[in-house]
Amino acid sequence: MASGEPVRMAVSMSSWEGLARLAFVAEQFGYAYADLQLTGDNKFALFIVPDPSPQARQRAARNRARYPDAGDGVSLPPVVPDAIEILKARMVVDSGSQYSDKVRMGLAVFALTALAASIGFTLRADSVALAVVGVVWAALMALLPLLLVYSRRYRTRNAARLEAAGFTPVTDRSGRLRYVPPGGQLPGHGNPFASGS
């Protein structure tokens, strides 16, 4: 970040709160949250880009002077809970719009089947254990539609929170629904992550 270049961070599975805090700190030092996507290796890719606005430059200069040891990860500006909640909502919506429900269902079926198969191969000598693995797999398959409905509702609640905060829903070039902050623009306008992906 010190170079002022766009940043893509691969972050191991973390809480929404932790990811939002990371983006919040970046915003205090002249960056803006651009996107969050799930990667193939079960990590998140957090995209942040330099924020050229005068307000961001002033905030960054003020915070660099006030927190010269920010690189230690401890001497940081105080967290603003409302800002964290908005960033969390953006991240939930962005990561949720990465794949359609059909693709998410397919990925979940594949992952759960692979997990059950690996456990089955490990326990292949014990038929009772294999039966238990089969029953657990079947139960998880039955729960998948409920989990997808819950996920959709969770994204909808977060989208409503963004709209109430003045964010505008926009479809990006790749067809993903994204929310643009008041006075902001969709990634791709001067953003090196132009496709929004």
Side-chain angles (χ1 to χ4, degrees):
M1 280 177 48
S3 68
E5 296 295 317
V7 178
R8 177 191 186 272
M9 290 181 271
V11 182
S12 294
M13 294 299 268
S14 180
S15 69
W16 293 117
E17 180 92 15
L19 290 167
R21 284 177 180 267
L22 188 58
F24 174 81
V25 169
E27 289 185 349
Q28 302 314 299
F29 292 95
Y31 275 75
Y33 165 79
D35 201 0
L36 180 74
Q37 297 177 8
L38 189 60
T39 63
D41 56 354
N42 240 7
K43 293 184 177 180
F44 281 109
L46 176 63
F47 298 89
I48 56 173
V49 295
D51 185 342
S53 72
Q55 300 88 342
R57 290 176 187 263
Q58 290 169 1
R59 182 175 58 241
R62 187 174 57 247
N63 284 327
R64 282 191 190 100
R66 208 179 278 169
Y67 304 98
D69 297 326
D72 65 11
V74 177
S75 310
L76 299 171
V79 171
V80 177
D82 288 343
I84 296 294
E85 289 303 312
I86 291 295
L87 281 165
K88 276 176 24 183
R90 290 181 72 189
M91 290 175 177
V92 166
V93 171
D94 285 347
S95 64
S97 68
Q98 184 177 354
Y99 301 114
S100 68
D101 283 348
K102 186 184 252 186
V103 171
R104 268 198 297 283
M105 178 72 104
L107 290 171
V109 167
F110 175 77
L112 289 173
T113 302
L115 178 64
S118 69
I119 293 170
F121 283 123
T122 303
L123 304 174
R124 67 179 165 252
D126 188 353
S127 59
V128 173
L130 288 176
V132 169
V133 168
V135 168
V136 169
W137 176 85
L140 289 173
M141 289 296 132
L143 283 176
L144 271 181
L146 296 175
L147 293 173
L148 282 175
V149 167
Y150 172 79
S151 174
R152 194 178 307 126
R153 287 183 180 165
Y154 187 61
R155 281 194 321 273
T156 300
R157 274 197 315 265
N158 281 284
R161 176 179 288 153
L162 292 173
E163 289 181 20
F167 283 69
T168 306
V170 178
T171 302
D172 71 10
R173 293 180 205 165
S174 65
R176 286 175 65 203
L177 178 64
R178 306 289 307 279
Y179 280 81
V180 178
Q185 52 190 348
L186 192 64
H189 300 276
N191 178 343
F193 306 114
S195 69
S197 59

